[in-house]
C-alpha cells in the first residue's frame, strides 16, 4: 500500500474534540483518508510506519470495549507506541484531578492522547493543559466524534452519498453523545435528520439544531434511508425515565413491523453495545441484508487511523 | 475623629429622595451632620478644610443581602478580614452572610462566635443569617426566636430550598408569630437534580444536565400560594427567569413579599459559559438573553426589589475541574456596584433605581437603619467616580478567592473611597 505521511493535509483544528468544531473541509479530509485505510485493513500486511516513534496514550476513565480496542489497533497499525490506561472510578476518588493526571502524562511527552471521560467537556479541559493533540473518544453526553465519522463512512460506503438521505436516529437521545455528534455531522453533510425518542429522553430545544423530532417511531422512521438505533443507557439514568424495558421495546424497539415504514432498502445501524430485545429485535440486528452494525466496527478502525494520522503532529 | 466636609458631590440617597449636587458633613462621632445642597462653601467655617469632590457621586454604603463567608470551616476561601477588605473596595458597608458554613449556623452557640469574629476581624457591618432548618437538612426548624434574640437578621437555607411543603408551612407560621424574615432559595431539587446550567439549546449542545426554569417557578408558586394564607416576612433570594418576573409581578398585586436578583443574572447569559467556563457555573444558573432582559425590566419597574452580589468565593482548585465536578458560585462583592452601573451606562435602568436596590430597599426588607444618608445616622457611604474606566483582573481582587466570572471585562465607574462610621477604610490607590 502506498500510504505515506502527507504533509499537505490541512485541518483547521489542533484537537479532535467534537464535530461541532470541524469544518466540512476537515470532515472530508478525514473521511477521504479513512477510505484509503479500508483496503489496508482487509489486506494481509496491515502494518505501516507512519507514526513510527510516536507515542499514543489511551486514557479511558469509563469502561469501553470497542472504542478502546479500535483506537488501540489503529495506533498499532500505524506504527505508534500505544499505551492504554484504564482509570477506574476508584482511582479518581484517590484524589487526583483530571488536570493533575494530564500534567503527569504531559511530562512523558506523548504525541497524542485519546480520552474518554464521563463528564462532558473533559477533553476540552485536557486539551488546554497538554502540548500534544487530544482526540475525544467520548465525553459525557456531549460528543463522540469518531463514532459519527465512522457512521458517515459506513453510510457513504453503502449509499455512495449522504446528501439528500433521510436518516432517523432513535432511542435514548438525552444521554447520547453518539446522537449529538451524528446530528452535527449528518446535518453538515446535507442529510435530513429525524430524531425519535420518548419525551423523557428528548433533550430540551434539540429541534434548534435543525432536526425533526418525533415521539412516534413509525412516523419518525417513515421513508427513511437509514435507521440508526441507540443503546438505552441504563448506567446514565438517574431516575425513572421509562416505565419498563418491555414497554420501551413495544413502542421504541426496532422490530420488522416498525421497519416496514422505512424505505425498502433502509439500512440499520447501531453504535453498540446492543441491548437485544430492548432497543432492537435480535434477528434484525443480525440480518446481513439490512444491518451494517459489523461494518461500522470494521470502518471504525479505518476512521481512527485517519484521525491519528491527521492530528498527530 | 476630625470633622469632615465634602462639597460639590452628586448625592443620591433614595431613602430620603435625595438626588442633587451638594455636600456632606461627617461629625466627630462618625455620624452624618449635614447633607445636600445646603452644604456648600458658603456655610462651612473658613477655618475648616473641605474636600471638593468635583461632581463625583456619593452613595449610601451598599447593603449586600447575599454573601458567603468561609468562617467557620472554609477560611481558606474567605474569612471576615478578607471579606471586609473586598467589600469596602466595592463600596459595600453592610453584608448579610449565608449560614452555609461548616458547621452550619443553626444554633445559638455558633452565633456568639460569629458575632465576635465579625466584630473583631471586619470593619463592615455584618448581619449573619441562620439556617431555616437544622444543618440545612430541610426537616427540623431552627430556633427562630432565640437566634433572633442573639442578633440573627434572617433565616435561609442559603444554597438549599425547603422542599417539603408541610415544613414550609410550619416555617411560615413560626416566622409569622416571631416576625422573622425568611429568605428562600427557589429551586425544586428534584427538577434541578444534577443540573449544571440552564436547560435549553446550550445544555443540549454541551451535553450538560440542565436546570429547567420550572424548577424555580414551582417553588415560587407554591410559596406564594402558602403566603396568601400565612402572612409573614418572605423574601425570594434570587430569581433567574423572565417567567418568574411575570409571576411575581402578578402575585405582588395580591400579597406582600420581596425578591432579589443576582448581578450575575442581570449582566450575563448562558452564552457566556462558552467552552465550559466553570467560573460561570452558578446557582440559579445563567439563562437566556430574553430572561436577562426580563430581569432587567423587572428591576426597572420595581417587581424585583434588590440586587445582590451572591458573592461565593471558591478557591481555584474547586474550579479547575470538569464542569460537572466544579463548585458552583462566583466571587462578586467587589464588582457588584461597577457591574450594576453598566446597566445605567447602557441605558437599561435609571441610576436612582439601581442605587435604591443596592441600599434603601435591602435595608427596608432587613429592617435595619442602613443604606441611607439621614442626618444623625452612621456615616456609611462611598464616593464613586461614575465614568472611570477599568478592567477586572483576578490579580487585583482583594477577596481571598479569585473566581470572578467577568475576568478582563471592561467596566465604567469605580469606588474611590469608602467610609464606615465616618472613618475612611478604603481609598483607591
Amino acid at each position: 500500500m502506498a500510504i505515506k505521511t502527507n504533509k499537505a493535509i490541512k485541518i483547521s483544528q489542533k484537537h479532535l474534540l467534537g464535530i461541532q468544531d470541524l469544518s466540512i473541509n476537515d470532515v472530508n479530509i478525514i473521511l477521504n483518508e479513512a477510505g484509503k485505510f479500508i483496503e489496508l485493513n482487509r489486506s494481509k500486511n496491515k502494518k505501516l510506519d507512519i507514526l513510527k516513534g510516536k507515542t499514543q496514550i489511551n486514557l479511558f476513565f469509563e469502561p469501553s470495549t470497542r472504542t478502546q480496542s479500535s483506537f488501540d489497533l489503529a495506533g498499532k497499525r500505524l506504527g505508534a507506541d500505544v499505551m492504554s490506561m484504564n482509570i477506574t472510578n476508584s482511582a479518581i476518588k484517590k484524589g487526583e484531578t483530571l488536570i493533575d493526571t494530564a500534567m503527569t502524562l504531559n511530562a512523558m511527552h506523548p504525541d497524542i492522547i485519546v480520552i474518554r471521560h464521563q463528564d462532558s467537556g473533559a477533553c476540552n479541559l485536557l486539551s488546554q493543559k497538554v502540548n500534544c493533540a487530544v482526540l475525544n473518544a467520548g465525553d459525557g453526553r456531549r460528543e463522540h466524534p469518531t463514532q459519527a465519522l465512522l457512521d458517515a463512512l459506513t453510510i457513504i460506503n453503502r449509499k455512495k452519498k449522504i446528501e439528500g438521505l433521510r436518516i432517523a436516529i432513535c432511542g435514548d437521545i438525552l444521554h447520547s453523545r453518539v446522537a449529538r455528534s451524528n446530528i452535527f455531522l449528518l446535518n453538515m453533510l446535507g442529510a435530513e435528520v429525524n430524531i425519535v425518542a420518548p419525551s423523557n429522553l428528548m433533550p430540551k430545544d434539540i429541534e434548534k439544531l435543525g432536526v425533526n423530532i418525533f415521539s412516534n417511531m413509525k412516523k419518525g422512521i417513515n421513508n427513511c434511508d437509514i435507521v440508526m438505533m441507540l443503546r438505552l443507557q441504563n448506567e446514565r439514568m438517574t431516575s425513572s425515565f421509562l416505565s419498563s424495558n418491555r414497554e420501551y421495546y413495544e413502542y421504541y424497539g426496532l422490530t420488522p413491523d416498525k421497519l416496514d415504514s422505512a424505505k425498502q432498502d433502509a439500512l440499520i445501524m447501531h453504535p453498540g453495545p446492543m441491548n437485544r430485545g430492548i432497543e432492537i429485535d435480535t434477528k434484525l440486528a443480525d440480518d446481513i441484508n439490512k444491518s451494517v452494525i459489523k461494518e461500522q466496527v470494521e470502518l471504525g478502525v479505518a476512521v481512527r487511523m485517519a484521525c491519528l494520522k491527521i492530528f498527530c503532529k | 475623629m476630625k470633622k469632615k466636609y465634602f462639597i460639590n458631590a452628586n448625592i443620591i440617597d433614595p431613602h430620603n429622595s435625595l438626588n442633587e449636587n451638594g455636600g456632606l458633613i461627617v461629625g466627630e462621632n462618625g455620624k452624618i451632620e449635614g447633607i445636600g445642597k445646603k452644604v456648600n462653601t458658603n456655610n462651612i467655617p473658613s477655618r475648616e478644610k473641605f474636600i471638593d469632590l468635583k461632581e463625583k457621586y456619593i452613595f449610601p454604603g451598599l447593603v449586600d443581602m447575599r454573601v458567603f463567608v468561609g468562617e467557620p470551616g472554609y477560611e481558606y476561601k474567605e474569612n471576615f478580614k478578607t471579606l471586609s477588605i473586598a467589600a469596602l473596595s466595592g463600596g459595600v458597608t453592610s453584608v448579610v452572610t449565608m449560614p452555609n458554613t461548616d458547621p452550619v449556623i443553626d444554633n445559638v452557640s455558633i452565633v456568639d462566635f460569629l458575632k465576635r469574629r465579625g466584630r473583631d476581624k471586619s470593619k463592615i457591618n455584618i448581619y449573619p443569617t441562620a439556617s431555616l432548618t437544622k444543618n440545612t437538612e430541610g426537616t427540623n426548624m431552627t430556633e427562630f426566636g432565640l437566634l433572633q434574640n442573639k442578633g440573627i437578621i434572617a433565616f435561609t437555607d442559603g444554597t438549599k430550598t425547603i422542599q417539603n411543603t408541610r415544613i414550609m408551612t410550619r416555617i411560615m407560621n413560626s416566622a409569622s408569630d416571631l416576625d422573622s424574615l425568611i429568605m428562600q432559595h427557589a429551586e425544586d431539587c428534584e427538577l434541578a437534580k444534577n443540573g449544571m446550567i440552564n436547560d435549553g439549546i446550550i445544555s443540549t449542545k454541551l451535553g450538560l444536565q440542565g436546570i429547567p426554569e420550572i424548577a424555580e417557578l414551582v417553588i415560587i408558586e407554591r410559596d406564594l400560594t402558602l403566603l396568601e394564607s400565612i402572612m409573614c416576612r418572605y423574601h425570594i433570594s434570587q430569581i433567574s427567569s423572565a417567567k418568574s418576573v411575570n409571576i411575581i409581578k402578578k402575585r405582588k398585586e395580591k400579597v406582600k413579599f420581596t425578591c432579589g436578583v443576582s448581578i450575575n443574572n442581570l449582566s450575563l447569559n448562558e452564552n457566556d459559559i462558552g467552552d465550559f467556563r466553570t467560573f460561570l457555573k452558578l446557582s440559579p444558573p445563567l439563562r437566556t438573553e430574553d430572561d436577562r432582559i426580563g430581569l432587567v425590566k423587572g428591576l426597572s419597574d420595581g417587581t424585583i426589589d434588590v440586587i445582590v452580589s451572591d458573592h461565593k468565593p471558591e478557591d481555584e482548585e474547586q474550579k479547575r475541574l470538569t464542569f460537572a465536578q466544579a463548585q458552583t458560585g462566583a466571587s462578586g462583592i467587589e464588582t457588584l456596584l461597577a457591574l450594576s452601573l453598566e446597566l445605567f451606562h447602557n441605558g437599561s435602568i435609571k441610576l436612582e433605581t439601581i442605587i435604591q436596590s443596592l441600599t434603601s430597599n435591602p435595608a427596608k426588607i432587613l429592617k435595619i437603619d442602613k443604606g441611607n444618608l439621614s442626618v444623625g445616622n452612621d456615616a456609611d457611604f462611598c464616593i464613586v467616580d461614575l465614568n472611570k474606566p477599568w478592567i477586572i483582573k483576578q490579580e487585583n481582587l482583594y477577596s481571598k478567592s479569585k473566581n470572578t466570572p467577568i475576568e478582563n471585562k471592561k467596566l465604567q465607574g469605580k469606588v474611590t473611597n469608602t467610609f464606615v462610621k465616618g472613618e475612611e477604610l478604603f481609598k483607591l490607590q
Side-chain angles (χ1 to χ4, degrees), chain A residues 11-265:
Chain A
I11 198 125
S12 70
Q13 300 292 315
K14 191 180 171 212
H15 311 283
L16 178 60
L17 304 179
I19 301 293
Q20 293 176 70
D21 309 322
L22 299 181
S23 68
I24 191 154
N25 188 41
D26 296 334
V27 168
N28 285 330
I29 290 170
I30 296 169
L31 292 177
N32 196 26
E33 278 295 318
K36 296 181 198 165
F37 288 119
I38 299 175
E39 278 310 308
L40 175 85
N41 285 336
R42 288 174 183 165
S43 69
K44 276 192 176 165
N45 185 4
K46 303 178 179 66
K47 188 92 172 175
L48 295 176
D49 59 2
I50 293 171
L51 296 186
K52 193 175 173 190
K54 304 285 186 187
T55 305
Q56 172 192 339
I57 298 178
N58 296 338
L59 192 57
F60 277 64
F61 290 86
E62 236 183 23
S64 159
T65 314
R66 63 197 69 213
T67 305
Q68 188 173 356
S69 52
S70 185
F71 267 112
D72 204 24
L73 213 50
K76 283 174 178 159
R77 284 189 182 164
L78 293 174
D81 295 314
V82 184
M83 182 179 76
S84 286
M85 295 176 65
N86 289 308
I87 301 171
T88 58
N89 272 323
S90 62
I92 302 166
K93 280 175 186 145
K94 282 180 188 164
E96 191 171 65
T97 65
L98 177 62
I99 289 180
D100 287 335
T101 309
M103 302 307 257
T104 307
L105 294 177
N106 196 43
M108 299 176 192
H109 303 294
D111 298 284
I112 202 150
I113 296 178
V114 178
I115 179 177
R116 165 169 290 191
H117 198 283
Q118 63 278 7
D119 289 343
S120 301
C123 52
N124 305 57
L125 183 64
L126 183 75
S127 72
Q128 291 158 14
K129 304 293 169 187
V130 297
N131 302 323
C132 66
V134 172
L135 297 194
N136 181 10
D139 65 321
R141 52 171 83 165
R142 192 184 72 107
E143 283 236 33
H144 192 353
T146 56
Q147 177 70 43
L149 288 162
L150 76 87
D151 288 341
L153 189 65
T154 308
I155 296 170
I156 291 169
N157 239 16
R158 287 296 187 108
K159 298 281 183 189
K160 307 300 167 208
K161 58 163 190 176
I162 287 182
E163 194 170 357
L165 293 185
R166 187 181 282 187
I167 301 173
I169 306 176
C170 315
D172 182 359
I173 309 291
L174 180 66
H175 299 99
S176 176
R177 51 196 173 212
V178 175
R180 283 171 178 77
S181 284
N182 263 312
I183 289 169
F184 293 124
L185 186 59
L186 297 172
N187 257 343
M188 194 196 296
L189 296 174
E192 186 184 347
V193 181
N194 287 0
I195 299 294
V196 183
S199 296
N200 278 330
L201 294 175
M202 191 74 90
K204 181 98 192 272
D205 291 345
I206 195 157
E207 66 280 6
K208 289 185 184 164
L209 296 179
V211 296
N212 312 310
I213 57 173
F214 296 88
S215 58
N216 179 300
M217 183 140 174
K218 273 192 178 175
K219 284 184 188 160
I221 64 177
N222 183 38
N223 213 19
C224 278
D225 300 280
I226 308 283
V227 179
M228 194 181 283
M229 299 306 298
L230 299 172
R231 188 170 62 91
L232 199 57
Q233 302 206 25
N234 283 315
E235 75 274 17
R236 282 187 220 282
M237 301 256 188
T238 48
S239 54
S240 164
F241 286 91
L242 302 166
S243 48
S244 72
N245 285 344
R246 65 177 183 187
E247 186 179 89
Y248 183 77
Y249 182 69
E250 179 71 23
Y251 285 87
Y252 295 97
L254 187 63
T255 53
D257 169 51
K258 293 194 195 91
L259 190 62
D260 277 347
S261 62
K263 277 191 184 153
Q264 201 61 43
D265 61 348

Side-chain angles (χ1 to χ4, degrees), chain B residues 226-239:
Chain B
L226 295 176
L227 198 63
E228 279 178 27
S229 39
I230 315 165
M231 271 311 301
C232 66
R233 291 169 65 204
Y234 175 82
H235 176 76
I236 304 165
S237 293
Q238 315 172 81
I239 59 169

Side-chain angles (χ1 to χ4, degrees), chain B residues 299-359:
Chain B
L299 190 78
S300 226
D301 69 16
T303 305
I304 300 173
D305 301 276
V306 300
I307 309 175
V308 297
S309 70
D310 192 25
H311 178 70
K312 193 161 180 287
E314 293 292 346
D315 63 315
E316 212 180 327
E317 294 312 313
Q318 300 300 321
K319 286 286 187 182
R320 290 175 72 229
L321 297 167
T322 63
F323 208 88
Q325 293 165 353
Q327 276 287 350
T328 301
S331 173
I333 199 164
E334 295 170 62
T335 48
L336 170 63
L337 180 60
L339 211 45
S340 300
L341 289 176
E342 189 183 45
L343 298 166
F344 159 68
H345 288 302
N346 68 22
S348 305
I349 310 180
K350 283 197 295 188
L351 185 57
E352 294 86 339
T353 309
I354 292 172
I355 302 307
Q356 189 177 8
S357 60
L358 290 166
T359 60

